[in-house]
Amino acid sequence: MNQPTDQAARVAVVTGGSGGIGRAAAERLARDGFAVLVHYAGNRARAEETVAAIEAAGGRALAAGGDVADETAMTELFDTAEREFGGLDVLVHTAGIMPLAPLTELDLDTFDRIQRTNVRGTFVVDQLAARRIRDGGAIINFSTSVTRLQIPGYSAYAASKGAVEAITLILARELRGRDITVNAVAPGPTATPLFLDGKPQALVDQIADANPMQRLGTPEDITEAVAFLAGPARWVNGQVLYVNGGAA
């Protein structure tokens, strides 16, 4: 496979790039010189806002949608990246869902939906990326620090992210010989709509104060790790990087 000749030629696909950590990751990689395909599941307007912000800062970006668990839709997504930008060097797979309830109360349809998006979605997207990504590239999945924190109500979500970690660590070894790193970022509580939705302010304050840094993480905190894994971290491979201010 051919490697890009310079940093400006590098291409990243960011799933879930329409908001939260995904948007911050897309904007950070664009600042680092990547052309970015911003994926969205249902909110094209927010993805276009991300693209507009990148372009306003002098970067290159394009929005494209699709269900991450649908292999046909994701094939089209990667086709678009190759057609419009010339290839693929980095995948940042942030897309996921997080319905919460105690195990005894969570209905099985919701459980199945979580696993479909978070586990099958990761498998589909990683499979396609691994087949297309250029030598010297990086696959960056997203797990969660909840796999260590064991917070009540997160059983189905944490189970899905445990599977994501297993996929990540095994794929890193399956890609032996191609100079492609595969890692997972595991954020702690981060001030995104996905985390804040439905939580009373008192609970948010309690969670923030429990952290040694006495605050929630920000999307920009998390994307520091993404930029590291997408760029200089060539000797970090097959790892789960906990980015949580010391919460776990």
Side-chain angles (χ1 to χ4, degrees):
M1 295 185 181
N2 296 323
Q3 295 190 31
T5 57
D6 55 47
Q7 177 75 359
R10 300 190 78 197
V11 178
V13 169
V14 180
T15 68
S18 60
I21 293 171
R23 174 169 180 164
E27 293 181 349
R28 172 55 192 267
L29 292 180
R31 289 197 299 273
D32 288 347
F34 286 82
V36 183
L37 186 67
V38 179
H39 161 268
Y40 63 93
N43 197 327
R44 181 180 182 89
R46 288 178 60 190
E48 293 288 3
E49 289 174 4
T50 304
V51 169
I54 290 171
E55 292 179 338
R60 298 173 62 206
L62 182 69
D67 176 2
V68 292
D70 182 330
E71 63 272 28
T72 300
M74 289 302 96
T75 296
E76 293 174 0
L77 183 82
F78 286 103
D79 285 347
T80 299
E82 292 183 340
R83 181 176 63 251
E84 298 296 328
F85 296 133
L88 174 66
D89 301 288
V90 171
L91 166 69
V92 182
H93 181 49
T94 77
I97 60 173
M98 192 175 64
L100 302 178
L103 186 147
T104 56
E105 298 174 15
L106 186 74
D107 68 83
L108 291 178
D109 286 344
T110 300
F111 177 86
D112 289 344
R113 185 162 58 90
I114 294 168
Q115 308 314 311
R116 182 182 185 279
T117 298
N118 295 357
V119 181
R120 178 186 167 93
T122 298
F123 195 95
V124 166
V125 170
D126 279 11
Q127 183 181 75
L128 292 168
R131 291 170 176 170
R132 296 170 181 244
I133 201 164
R134 293 185 281 213
D135 293 358
I139 293 173
I140 305 166
N141 291 323
F142 265 71
S143 180
T144 173
S145 290
V146 175
T147 56
R148 287 188 173 185
L149 295 171
Q150 296 101 39
I151 301 173
Y154 283 77
S155 59
Y157 177 71
S160 74
K161 293 303 186 176
V164 168
E165 292 185 9
I167 291 169
T168 300
L169 303 187
I170 292 170
L171 181 59
R173 287 144 182 87
E174 291 179 345
L175 294 184
R176 175 185 177 89
R178 291 183 54 194
D179 190 29
I180 295 170
T181 62
V182 187
N183 296 286
V185 173
T190 305
T192 66
L194 184 68
F195 174 77
L196 296 172
D197 186 41
K199 291 183 174 69
Q201 187 60 46
L203 177 59
V204 172
D205 292 342
Q206 178 184 348
I207 294 170
D209 190 61
N211 191 287
M213 306 298 286
Q214 294 186 297
R215 66 176 177 86
L216 296 178
T218 67
E220 289 71 25
D221 290 327
I222 311 306
T223 56
E224 288 294 328
V226 171
F228 174 63
L229 294 173
R234 301 309 306 163
W235 200 236
V236 181
N237 189 30
Q239 305 297 318
V240 178
L241 182 57
Y242 291 87
V243 185
N244 56 30

